[in-house]
Structures are given as structure tokens and as C-alpha cells.
Amino acid sequence: MKTDILSLNGTWTLSSREAKVTCPAEIPGDNYTALEAAGILPDPYYRLNEDECQWPVDKDWVFSRSFDVPRELLAHPAVILEFTSVDTVADIVLNGHVIAHVENEFRRWRLEVKSFLKAKGNRLEVRIRSVAGAIADSEKKHPHAAVESFGCNTLHQIERLRKCQCSSGWDWGISLPVSGIYGDTSLFGADTVTLDYAWDEQRHSRGAVRVTLTAELRPIDAAKAGDPVEVAFAFNGETKTVKAAVPRNCGPFTVSADFTVRKPELWWPNGFGAQPLYPFTVTADGQAIERKIGLRTVEIVREKEGKGETFGFRVNGVDVFAKGVNWIPCEAHPSRRTDDRYAHLLQSVVDANINLVRVWGGGLYEHDFFYDECDRLGLLVWQDMMFACGMYPDWREFQDNVRAEVRHQVRRLRSHPSIALWCGDNELFWCSYVTRSAYALCDRLNCVEKDAVTESDSTRVFWPSSPCSGDRVYEDNANPDMGDTHLWGVAHGDRSIDGYLAYRARFVSEFGFGSLPSLESVVTFAEPGDFNLSSPVMNAHVKKPGAYANFLAMISNYFRMPETFAQTVWISQVKQAFALQAVTENWHAQMPYTRGVMYWQLNQWWPVSDWSSIEHSGFWKPAHYAMRRTFSPLSASLSPAGKGTGRAFRVVWDLPAKLTASVRVSVRALEDGREVAAFQTTFTFPRAGVKTLRLPDFTSDAKARGGLAANACFALVEVNGVDAAGRAYAYSDAVFATAFRDCDFPDPGLSVADIRAQKDGSFDITVSAKAPAFFAWLDVLGDPLGRYDDNLVSLLPGRRVFHYRPGAKLTLADLRKRLTLSHL
Ligand code: BMA
């Protein structure tokens, strides 16, 4: 918030002399969005259009506009031109003067421009070097640099540019190497200083939190040492004004004020309590920064244990099992990264009982709104620095550029209570493990980052890389006994999940299973003639080489082969849900050895076959419902606990409260669901923990199956619990003695018995089954944002009511027409 400010957002002109193109461009925004809106580029997501949309990468682009400046603004001793983000290598030209050369999408630029301004008819140009040209310029300047991409980008050596690394494609990403101007662009006035950053630091003691608020200020060029500056801090009903002066070196300086919050209401992660936020405002020189902080402590606990050490999150002194997900940028077009999209995705994260989101290092330091939502919703954030899967340059200017970027981003974000940890990168240690010669290079970059992070925020841990085993440990970063681990053996190679079930790790920060997008997404980019896995269009919409073969191999290992394209889509989604759930619940049940599981990945950046649990349209794949069930505070692991132990059911309770639980396991006939054997027990969890139940093993013991063949039965596991405050928790799922492909499933005769419209626009849908149904799935076509209270469930013969909340208004008649039911 600034008193004298002129927004320069709005309609600019985009042009390229080489491409002979001129068209309007909305700023904040990017060249692709503008070119598509002008009909110059086709929709790059459709069929094979990606290929036709690569030429802008070779062109230089100019964004320009004219503007007048109000007299009051020009009356200030300094007028600052602010760019939140310019992507990437560009000259900023004001009224014909090159006022800055910029080379980093992730830095903010504040330029003093008063001497170049006039009251009327100013012309501002941002001349952006073509993405390919900028890489080539760098190669010419530093021809011997050991820069390397490990397989994901279409633009060789994009690592030379400080730009969103997945913008030229990834193993799930379309190549859309955008150029643009993002965030707000404005002019504002300053008399002595600019107010650059504001943050808090907290000291917790019994019954009180001491909060120190700090402002970082930068004197304008005309300021002199000793010039007075007044900074006002308003927090918790008090305002404190601090008188300061421009320091002798006229460089940036900080001013602080202390406050005490008595009887603090603490901020908790999702599931552990509320998220009270305390607003503060810092004002200086007519400029203000407003933030909302949460009172909490957060630690990364690493204690010697066995062969290695623990790795886990502790918030307000309470251990939090991290139920996490990896986040990639939510759209390939920067202009379409809207608040609505963020809000939907993050609410979906919370609704799936997730408490940790990792902002992955190949994407972006996210928009402010993203972190505001995480604060509001109780999502811890694992924040990578933006480096991924490559070897990065180490020449001096590059390092300086990185240092400035990290300083900016950490200062910008550090007041968010959600941010729990800063991490150096994605898989750089891992990649340098592949080519050992890269250790030194990787180390130099990591040290620059570490210095910049710790200098900017001493309250949080800097975790060097994901995955890694600790500070500067380059050789041993796949160690299951230390640090975090990425596990990709199954999804990228094998076809069985058994390897994962037998694996134990401290903290699994990446693993995943892929699927096709739903047919409703497929039809947005493909025509019926393309509906074949090896068609050019379907191949263009999967980026991981061999992914479809992997899907089919895994399907054939667990399920019967699908016969139609539509069935292939559906079974690929079911196998993703099944595999994610089986593996995650197993690791969850290894608590507290394992203290976190973050699956790859939440969202999509365009419609594609990948590992996401939510589609580009916002649609929850079956996997998202499965993960919601898996991540419920009371859950069960239905997989074997380890070799030679027979089938052990483990019940998991991951909240700190006391809980009384009851478990009922009934073995039933597949043909009609009749019960042939049952086991029941009740016990108490004094606190979070895992209870292993040794049951008669129905997989190997025919008696435990009431004499039924192994492929003719299933077990229904029902877990219920009540905590000390009387809150009820429930979990139920089915488990099989053989692979699904070995079973002859009866036709469950699923039908909709009744639909009742509710006053609030939602519906109660009664589904009836004649025989047991597995992976029963409700889907209202044309409503990607619709939500069900539960989905992808096992049904016994009889009726069950599902609550459905449409994403957009829907009549009962429409619902009847569009509701579909599926099952295995
Ligand atoms: C991990 C990620 C991404 C990648 C994903 C799937 O390595 O960090 O780089 O998209 O695996 O391969």
C-alpha cells in the first residue's frame, strides 16, 4: 500500500519486429496468452499444436505502453518504477533511455526514474531477449561452463537463465517458453526511503509470545546520512513509532519494534488446531506493508537414532506426521494463474487431510495469494529454491544474481507462518551423484544459497536439497536412514509396488504413480480418432518416455486388461489410486521411523497424462479421494507389515490426543458379500501411534476364509474411534487375498435409487448395489469442480447415500442426465 502510486497494469502492446507481430497484451501477463488472444497462435494444448507454438522462443519481444504522471507523484524527491517480475533477460527503456538490464524472473526491480519522467506522454518499453537467444548469448560469453540439463527441458541449457525451469517442458510439461511481465507494475513516490520488506520474529515462553517486527528500508539516491525516517508498527492493538536515521553508508537498514502477546492463540497445521492470524502494518515514508502472522514454533527434528537420524516436523512442540504433496506451477500460461485456481487447489489439499505442501524447485516462488491461503488453511510449506535436475552455472554474475534472488524471496516470504523450511533445490545433489564431477559445482551454488537464506532468515532451517542427507553431503543422498528420499523405481521402471512395500525411509518426499486424465479432459485436447494410446496426439500428451507402457504393465500386474480406450483411461486412474494408497498407508504405518510422506504430485500445468491427483480442470481424480482416505487421522494399513509376518493390519492414529478405537474385520464372499468370518477388537491410543493387529491370515489360511477360495472373498476393514473431546473418526476399506485380476467380480448392478435436492444446491444421491462393488465411482459429467463426501468406495449389497456438491448450479433433471456410475 503506497500513498502516491500509479499502476501500470493494464493493456500494453506486444510486438516483435522479426515476427512482424503487433497485438495488445494484458499486463500482468505473457506473450503466449496475448498471441493466442490475437489469433496469432493456436491453443497450444489442443492435439499437436504444441509443435506450432515453439517459434516465439526464437524471437525478441517488446512490451510497451504510454502513460502520464500526476503532478503530485512527480513532486516527490524520488519516483520508483517497480516491476514485481520480468521474465527474463530484458532491457527496460523509459523515454528512449535504457534504465536497467534485468536477468531474473524471480527478482523484484525498484528503479529510480524521476529524471527520465515527464508529466505527459511517457513511453515505457520492456525489450525482452528471445529465450533461445538469451541462452545462446550466455553460451557465447561462457562457452566452457559445465551446464547440464538432466533430461527434462526441451531447451538445452535453460539452467543458464533464472526463469521458471519447467517453462520449456518437463516430464509432465508442455514446452511453453513464455516471456512476460508478471505481478504488479507501478510507479510510486518516495521522499527519503523505500520500504522494501517487513517480517516478524517470535520468542515463545509460557503464556506469552514476544514478537519483534522489523522493516527493511533503502534510502533513495538523494538521501543523506542522518536524514530522519519514522517507522510506525501497528500490531495487536498497539502502535509503536520508531525514529531512525539514514545510516552513514546510505545503504539498506532495518528498524524494529517489540510487542508482547499475552495468552497467545497459537497457529496450528491442518488437523491439529485453528489458524488464528494476527495482522500487522508497517508504515514509513507514505508506504505501508500489511501482513498477517501466525504465532507458532516450527522445528525440523533431526535426532540420532539407529543407523542414522530422524527427520520430522515439530510445531509448537508437537510432532506432526507430514502428510504432504508436491506442488508444481498451476498453469503453463502465467496469465492464467488466477486466485480462483489457487483457492480451489489449496482447499482441495486441505480437504484431503494434507498438512504439508512442497513448492517444487523446477517451478516458481509462488504468488502472495498462494502463501496467504496456506496461512489461512494451516498448510505447512516446504519451499524449494528454484533449481531442479541440472548443473547450474557458477560464474560470478550468475552467483550474484542467485544471491539477490534468494535474499529477495526469503525476505518477501518469511512472515508467512506456513513456511516451515527453506530447501536449496530439487534433486541437484542427486543429479550430481550421477555425474560426480558436478559435486564442486553443486557445492558452490548451494553455499551461495545457504548464505543468502541464513542471512535473510535465521529462524528456519535451510535444508540443502531434496533429496539429501544433510549439509554438503553429496555422496550419500539416497540414504533411507537419513534426511528425505525420492523414490521413483516403480513409477519409472518396475511394474510392482512390492519394492516400495518392503522399503523403509525417514521421510519420503517424492514418489508417484501415473494415470491418464479423465475422458472429459482428454476430449478437450483430442478428437475421437485420437483415442488410442499410441496415437500421435495421445503421445504428445504424455511426456515421460515409456509412461504408457509402464501404465499398462502395472495394470496387467494387478487388474484385467481394459478393452476400450475409455476403460483404459478409467483403469489407469484406479491403478494410480490403488498404488498411491497402498504405498502411502504402509509408510504412514511405519511412523515414527517414517515421519512424512509427500506424494508426487498434486496438480497439472496443462491437460496431460502424469502423476497428478487433480486434473488441470480442477477435477479430483480417483487418486485424490483415495489420498483423502489414506491421510485421514485414523486409518489402517492393509498391506503386509513385512516379510514373514503374515498379513498384519496396522491401525494408525496420527493426532496427539487420546483415542479409543474399535476395529472390525469381516471376511466376505465376493459373489454376495455374506460374512464368513469376523474379528473384532477395541483398544486405546494414549497418543499418536500405530497398533499392529495379528489376525488369522486370510490370504494363506483357507479356514480364515470360511473355506472360500482366495479369489472368491475379500475382507472389509472398519475402524472407528472417539477422541477425548468426543470427536468421532471413521475409516473403512476392502482388502483382497489375491490380485484383482484373479477375481471374477460379480456384476454389482449399481443404480441410482434416489436423488434428493437440498436447499443449499447440493444433492443426496442414493446408490443401490445388488452385489459387492469395488472402486465404485460417481461422476457428474461436465462438472469438474463438483465434490462428493466420499467416492471410489467399496459397497456391500444394499444402499448408500452420497452427498454431492456441484461446482456450478445444477438442476435435478440435469443431474439425472449427467450422473455416471463406474466400478471395477
Ligand atoms: C521428480 C521431480 C520432477 C519430476 C518427477 C517425475 O524427480 O522432482 O523433476 O517431474 O520426479 O519424474
Side-chain angles (χ1 to χ4, degrees), residues 2 5-10 12 26-29 63 65 67 80-86 92 108-109 111 124 126 180-188:
K2 301 167 191 103
I5 179 161
L6 175 71
S7 171
L8 296 175
N9 295 344
W12 292 42
E26 285 309 310
I27 296 298
F63 288 89
R65 67 163 291 160
F67 61 90
I80 316 292
L81 172 59
E82 174 174 88
F83 288 95
T84 302
S85 169
V86 176
I92 300 186
R108 177 180 68 182
W109 308 100
L111 312 164
L124 178 60
V126 179
I181 303 171
Y182 317 138
D184 289 330
T185 302
S186 64
L187 279 175
F188 66 92

Side-chain angles (χ1 to χ4, degrees), residues 170-172 360 389 426-427 486 488 492 510 544 600 611:
W170 210 261
D171 61 0
W172 35 259
W360 168 75
C389 305
N426 175 69
E427 296 183 350
H486 291 188
W488 281 108
H492 290 177
E510 275 190 23
K544 178 82 194 165
W600 183 271
W611 302 268

Side-chain angles (χ1 to χ4, degrees), residues 32 69 73 109 213 219 332 350 439 449 501 504 565 579 645 683 694 703 726 760 775 782 792:
Y32 272 78
V69 187
L73 188 49
W109 308 100
L213 298 181
V350 164
Y439 288 163
E449 289 180 50
L501 295 178
R504 209 163 80 130
F565 181 75
T645 57
F683 53 89
R694 305 236 165 252
K703 243 196 337 202
D760 62 359
F775 301 103
L792 200 76

Side-chain angles (χ1 to χ4, degrees), residues 322-518:
K323 298 187 278 198
V325 70
N326 284 275
W327 168 279
I328 61 171
C330 62
E331 227 298 325
H333 296 79
S335 306
R336 297 189 205 157
R337 294 176 194 144
T338 57
D339 287 358
D340 281 355
R341 208 175 260 275
Y342 284 103
H344 170 73
L345 286 167
L346 291 170
Q347 186 62 51
S348 300
V349 167
V350 164
D351 291 346
N353 297 309
I354 291 167
N355 54 30
L356 176 69
V357 179
R358 170 171 173 239
V359 179
W360 168 75
L364 304 165
Y365 304 94
E366 275 298 348
H367 292 189
D368 292 338
F369 184 72
F370 172 95
Y371 300 98
D372 289 343
E373 284 292 275
C374 291
D375 295 345
R376 186 178 71 79
L377 295 166
L379 292 169
L380 296 169
V381 174
W382 170 309
Q383 178 68 47
D384 283 0
M385 302 297 124
M386 293 302 126
F387 303 88
C389 305
M391 276 161 71
Y392 282 80
D394 73 337
W395 55 80
R396 188 58 193 274
E397 305 104 83
F398 188 87
Q399 288 190 350
D400 290 347
N401 200 5
V402 167
R403 192 174 292 112
E405 161 192 326
V406 172
R407 285 182 89 252
H408 167 60
Q409 293 294 345
V410 174
R411 282 164 158 73
R412 169 189 156 230
L413 297 176
R414 63 168 287 189
S415 63
H416 289 280
S418 52
I419 294 189
L421 156 141
W422 306 111
C423 173
D425 62 66
N426 175 69
E427 296 183 350
L428 262 54
F429 283 29
W430 218 22
C431 291
S432 51
Y433 185 69
V434 181
T435 54
R436 280 153 183 265
S437 57
Y439 288 163
L441 204 59
C442 190
D443 189 52
R444 283 201 284 278
L445 175 68
N446 207 256
C447 289
V448 170
E449 289 180 50
K450 185 181 177 182
D451 285 353
V453 168
T454 44
E455 171 223 331
S456 307
D457 181 5
S458 59
T459 68
R460 290 179 180 87
V461 162
F462 173 73
W463 184 243
S465 179
S466 182
C468 82
S469 302
D471 204 17
R472 307 183 82 174
V473 185
Y474 293 96
E475 309 234 3
D476 188 25
N477 52 61
N479 185 339
D481 296 313
M482 310 255 297
D484 69 318
T485 311
H486 291 188
L487 291 172
W488 281 108
V490 174
H492 290 177
D494 207 339
R495 62 196 181 122
S496 145
I497 60 171
D498 293 356
Y500 281 176
L501 295 178
Y503 200 81
R504 209 163 80 130
R506 297 289 186 180
F507 197 103
V508 184
S509 44
E510 275 190 23
F511 73 102
F513 299 97
S515 80
L516 284 136
S518 63

